[in-house]
Amino acid sequence: MGKSVAVRRLDLGYFVRPASETGGPRPRVEPVLAYLVRHGDGLILFDTGIGDAGPETEAHYRPRRRALPDALAASGVALGDVSMVVNCHLHFDHCGGNPLLGGTPILVQDVELATARRGDYTVEELVDFPGATYEEVAGEAEVWPGVWVVPTPGHTPGHQSLVVRQGDGTVVLAGQAYDLASHFASEQLARQATLDGVEQPVPPYQPWLDRLADFEPRRVFFAHDCSVWEPA
């Protein structure tokens, strides 16, 4: 099974994160990346791109979109070929193409969907639309053989990542668990230092990194960074 599983990155555009959100003096242009997982049981689409969030948000982030059907077509796939959508979370830049996939199961953490539906969180029309078909998950689950959703809260309470076993090792699609691959790498090292018994102070790390480490990932991909983490 593992050898037949493939992961392909999809370019769905970019946005400009203002300096007030980068922690530095300058804005940062960030890609919006989705991932197509080809599996013996079908096709999983991890995230769906940038939705319309209204004039204020458009002015704030200045997004440039690549249409989801075009990105899929470049991989030889049509919207109707997608078997399942997995959203890392339900912000507008991750679930924007969901309304194009009415009737397709959308896997999401139950706490994420509940948070989105309480309001003042995301764009309601991108969450509840004609044909929206949610499969809520409470915690970790193996959704197909060799494919797991794993809770990775932090950016949002219900953020989740996708773990995919391949013939040449495990891939983690980490979404926005970290904005940048370098942030993930830094916390991985903080975890290692803690495990090695390095004298405090040592920076803290997300506790779910322990669970991801159990899968021994060979590559970790992100939603807003083209860089890929690999073990040293």
Side-chain angles (χ1 to χ4, degrees):
M1 180 276 300
K3 292 182 180 179
S4 67
V5 178
V7 176
R8 178 160 182 167
R9 186 161 62 187
L10 302 180
D11 171 15
L12 294 180
Y14 63 87
F15 65 92
V16 182
R17 189 180 296 281
S20 60
E21 297 180 13
T22 66
R26 297 182 179 87
R28 183 172 65 228
V29 183
E30 298 185 8
V32 174
L33 305 170
Y35 295 87
L36 189 66
V37 180
R38 295 181 180 269
H39 185 279
D41 288 350
L43 292 173
I44 297 175
L45 180 59
F46 185 77
D47 282 350
T48 62
I50 312 170
D52 184 355
E56 185 176 346
T57 301
E58 290 286 310
H60 187 73
Y61 288 112
R62 296 174 281 162
R64 294 294 182 269
R65 299 169 176 83
R66 185 185 187 198
L68 178 61
D70 294 344
L72 290 172
S75 296
V77 172
L79 289 168
D81 298 328
V82 176
S83 308
M84 178 189 301
V85 173
V86 178
N87 288 125
C88 65
H89 65 294
L90 295 174
H91 284 165
F92 82 103
D93 54 326
H94 295 263
C95 68
N98 284 18
L100 299 175
L101 292 151
T104 303
I106 301 170
L107 240 65
V108 65
Q109 290 290 316
D110 54 0
V111 65
E112 181 71 13
L113 186 58
T115 302
R117 285 175 167 165
R118 280 199 292 268
D120 296 324
Y121 176 81
T122 188
V123 181
E124 294 178 6
E125 292 79 8
L126 299 178
V127 174
D128 289 310
F129 51 86
T133 306
Y134 287 102
E135 293 187 6
E136 297 181 51
V137 183
E140 183 177 323
E142 187 174 12
V143 296
W144 283 351
V147 180
W148 292 263
V149 289
V150 177
T152 48
H155 178 67
T156 70
H159 191 285
Q160 62 184 1
S161 297
L162 196 68
V163 176
V164 181
R165 293 278 194 206
Q166 293 191 134
D168 63 345
T170 298
V171 167
V172 175
L173 307 180
Q176 203 174 345
Y178 295 90
D179 286 340
L180 301 174
S182 59
H183 294 171
F184 178 87
S186 179
E187 287 209 9
Q188 279 285 101
L189 285 173
R191 174 181 178 273
Q192 188 60 56
T194 299
L195 294 177
D196 289 343
V198 172
E199 184 178 352
Q200 293 293 333
V202 173
Y205 64 90
Q206 292 284 3
W208 41 256
L209 282 176
D210 293 329
R211 178 57 183 139
L212 291 185
D214 292 339
F215 292 101
E216 299 181 332
R218 295 293 302 275
R219 289 174 294 278
V220 181
F221 295 90
F222 303 90
H224 297 313
D225 190 350
C226 292
S227 298
V228 178
W229 178 89
E230 295 180 332

